[in-house]
């Protein structure tokens, strides 16, 4: 009898399903035989990478035969100078997903509990389940984190709490005051992970990064990425800022050379490219307004977002609408796996991409409505 390899796997691995990324343009065009598709599914920066980053990548390619600096010295120094943080507080990752996984591997054991919110980033569940820990999913409030309920859910078994500010896929956020009140209720032996992947897009005056709280709360870990506003999604660069003792533990489980040379050099370059970042933020703000106006004209509601995406309520099962948009060569993100079967998450694109999406959406809505009327 053939060996059942699934039975050899850990219980955490047995219960998982592979992460489902946004459908690539190449795959869609190959499947449907179409061209000139657009992808508004993965919250990428639509303006392309920084010219400074491209130059740094090109200059670094001659060292492709070498291993990268395993400590990431140059990038850590740049982050330290840019944000006024200690080098000893920084852990580099192959994207912020890698850092989230490191935190789970360093601190979670079977029997531990991990708290996160309903409608929050699926990787929190993956980290929890793969470690054998138990998830405590707290119901959302207005599509976002109910911080009071999350603090009340802490037990003696709680080891980690994952927060996202802003949250993906809903685009919701919470204030500095709310975060401070939350941290004051959390025991010091519970590690709070604050995922700030989209912070550069936030303009609300009472929003503040968690970096300002770490002196008061050493159990707070802040994670960030270069994949969104800084435009390096393909190169996979993320980092955590934490108490040096936590950082030391994360680096004990971190794989050597987890960030490659072009990624390290590009990250240093874009970190200093303030004009690029401002263009990204301005483009996103205009795109959010464009999409909101389009949804209003179509009679659709949406979840107000401070990220680089909007999650729109289709008012019905979104699966046929998603499929219809694919036929139009427009890729967005279904979020039924987040228990949001009537919603689609739409990344802000270039103005012409947003316009194409809205036109395609209008046609698909009319078509699907007509089909429903004949049933």
């Amino acid at each position: 009898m053939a060996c059942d390899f699934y039975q050899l796997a850990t219980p955490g691995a047995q219960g998982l399903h592979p992460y489902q990324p946004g459908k690539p343009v190449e795959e869609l065009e190959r499947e449907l035989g179409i061209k000139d598709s657009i992808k508004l599914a993965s919250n990428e920066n639509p303006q392309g990478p920084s010219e400074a980053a491209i130059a740094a990548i090109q200059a670094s390619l001659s060292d492709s035969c070498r291993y990268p600096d395993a400590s990431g010295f140059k990038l850590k120094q740049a982050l330290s100078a840019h944000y006024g943080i200690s080098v000893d507080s920084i852990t580099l990752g192959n994207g912020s997903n890698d850092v989230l996984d490191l935190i789970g591997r360093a601190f979670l054991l079977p029997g531990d509990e991990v708290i996160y919110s309903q409608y929050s980033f699926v990787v929190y569940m993956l980290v929890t389940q793969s470690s054998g820990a138990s998830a405590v999913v707290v119901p959302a409030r207005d599509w976002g984190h109910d911080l009071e309920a999350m603090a009340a859910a802490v037990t003696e078994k709680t080891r980690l709490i994952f927060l996202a500010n802003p949250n993906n896929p809903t685009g919701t956020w919470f204030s500095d005051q709310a975060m401070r009140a939350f941290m004051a209720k959390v025991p010091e032996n519970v590690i709070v992970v604050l995922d700030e992947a989209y912070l550069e897009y936030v303009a609300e005056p009472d929003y503040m990064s968690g970096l300002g709280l770490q002196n008061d709360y050493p159990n707070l870990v802040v994670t960030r990425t270069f994949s969104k506003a800084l435009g390096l999604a393909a190169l996979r660069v993320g980092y955590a800022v934490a108490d040096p003792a936590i950082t030391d533990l994360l680096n004990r489980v971190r794989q050597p050379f987890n960030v490659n040379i072009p990624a390290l050099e590009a990250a240093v370059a874009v970190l200093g490219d303030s004009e690029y970042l401002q263009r990204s933020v301005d483009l996103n703000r205009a795109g959010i307004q464009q999409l909101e106006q389009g949804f209003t004209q179509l009679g659709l509601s949406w979840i107000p977002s401070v990220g680089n995406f909007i999650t729109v309520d289709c008012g019905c099962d979104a699966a046929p609408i998603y499929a219809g948009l694919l036929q139009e060569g427009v890729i967005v993100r279904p979020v039924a796996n987040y228990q949001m079967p009537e919603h689609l998450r739409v990344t802000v694109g270039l103005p012409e991409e947003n316009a194409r999406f809205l036109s395609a959406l209008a046609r698909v809505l009319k078509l699907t409505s007509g089909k429903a009327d004949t049933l």
Side-chain angles (χ1 to χ4, degrees), residues 293-350:
Q293 291 171 1
F295 294 150
T296 298
Q297 293 172 359
L298 291 171
L300 299 175
S301 61
W302 63 90
I303 303 171
S305 173
V306 295
N308 67 336
F309 56 89
I310 300 183
T311 300
V312 60
D313 186 351
C314 298
C316 60
D317 181 12
I321 298 171
Y322 168 71
L325 288 170
L326 292 180
Q327 295 290 334
E328 295 271 350
V330 177
I331 307 171
V332 296
R333 186 65 183 268
V335 285
N337 61 320
Y338 285 94
Q339 301 175 329
M340 302 172 68
E342 296 190 351
H343 290 76
L344 293 172
R345 192 191 68 189
V346 185
T347 303
V348 176
L350 297 172

Side-chain angles (χ1 to χ4, degrees), residues 3-11 14:
C3 178
D4 185 350
F5 294 108
Y6 288 97
Q7 292 301 315
L8 298 179
T10 65
Q14 289 179 28

Side-chain angles (χ1 to χ4, degrees), residues 21-34 37 331:
K23 182 183 285 290
V25 167
E26 297 81 4
E27 180 180 336
L28 174 67
E29 295 185 343
R30 183 172 62 250
E31 288 177 355
L32 300 183
I34 59 178
S37 301
I331 307 171

Side-chain angles (χ1 to χ4, degrees), residues 52-273:
I54 293 174
I57 293 167
Q58 292 173 336
S60 74
L61 293 179
S62 61
D63 288 328
S64 295
C65 59
R66 308 290 183 188
Y67 286 108
D69 174 9
S71 70
F73 176 84
K74 187 176 178 180
L75 178 54
K76 286 183 179 179
Q77 290 290 331
L79 288 167
S80 174
H82 192 79
Y83 292 113
I85 55 179
S86 168
V87 169
D88 294 335
S89 70
I90 302 169
T91 304
L92 300 180
N94 188 239
S96 58
N97 282 15
D98 185 30
V99 176
L100 296 173
D101 184 66
L102 293 178
I103 295 168
R105 289 200 284 122
F107 291 103
L108 292 179
L109 289 171
D112 291 336
E113 291 182 350
V114 180
I115 297 173
Y116 52 86
S117 177
Q118 180 187 22
Y119 312 131
S120 62
F121 189 31
V122 70
V123 168
Y124 310 153
M125 179 275 290
L126 296 176
V127 168
T128 301
Q129 190 164 331
S130 64
S131 69
S134 299
V136 178
V137 183
V138 177
R141 178 190 293 177
D142 297 328
W143 300 106
H145 292 60
D146 186 340
L147 292 180
E148 293 182 5
M150 295 181 77
V154 173
T155 72
E156 62 181 13
K157 294 183 179 180
T158 305
R159 184 60 60 89
L160 289 179
I161 301 175
F162 285 111
L163 306 175
N165 198 28
N167 184 55
N168 171 34
T170 62
T172 53
W173 63 283
F174 47 84
S175 69
D176 176 61
Q177 181 180 2
M179 181 63 183
R180 290 177 182 275
F182 172 81
M183 290 301 302
K185 298 175 184 176
V186 176
E188 63 181 6
N189 65 331
V190 175
I191 294 173
V192 178
V193 182
L194 182 61
D195 182 348
E196 295 186 338
Y198 299 92
L199 88 155
E200 292 93 348
Y201 292 112
V202 186
E204 275 61 25
D206 50 352
Y207 175 92
M208 185 175 295
S209 165
L211 293 182
L213 292 177
Q214 290 183 310
N215 287 336
D216 295 328
Y217 301 103
N219 57 326
L220 177 61
V221 179
V222 175
T223 65
R224 293 182 175 180
T225 184
F226 283 81
S227 296
K228 307 304 180 185
L230 296 176
L232 298 181
L235 294 183
R236 314 304 301 126
V237 192
Y239 59 99
V241 183
D243 182 270
I246 294 176
T247 301
D248 177 56
L249 290 165
L250 296 183
N251 279 301
R252 294 184 187 192
V253 297
R254 179 180 62 87
Q255 294 294 321
F257 315 120
N258 63 330
V259 185
N260 63 70
I261 290 175
L264 290 169
E265 294 296 330
V268 171
V270 75
L271 193 63
D273 193 346

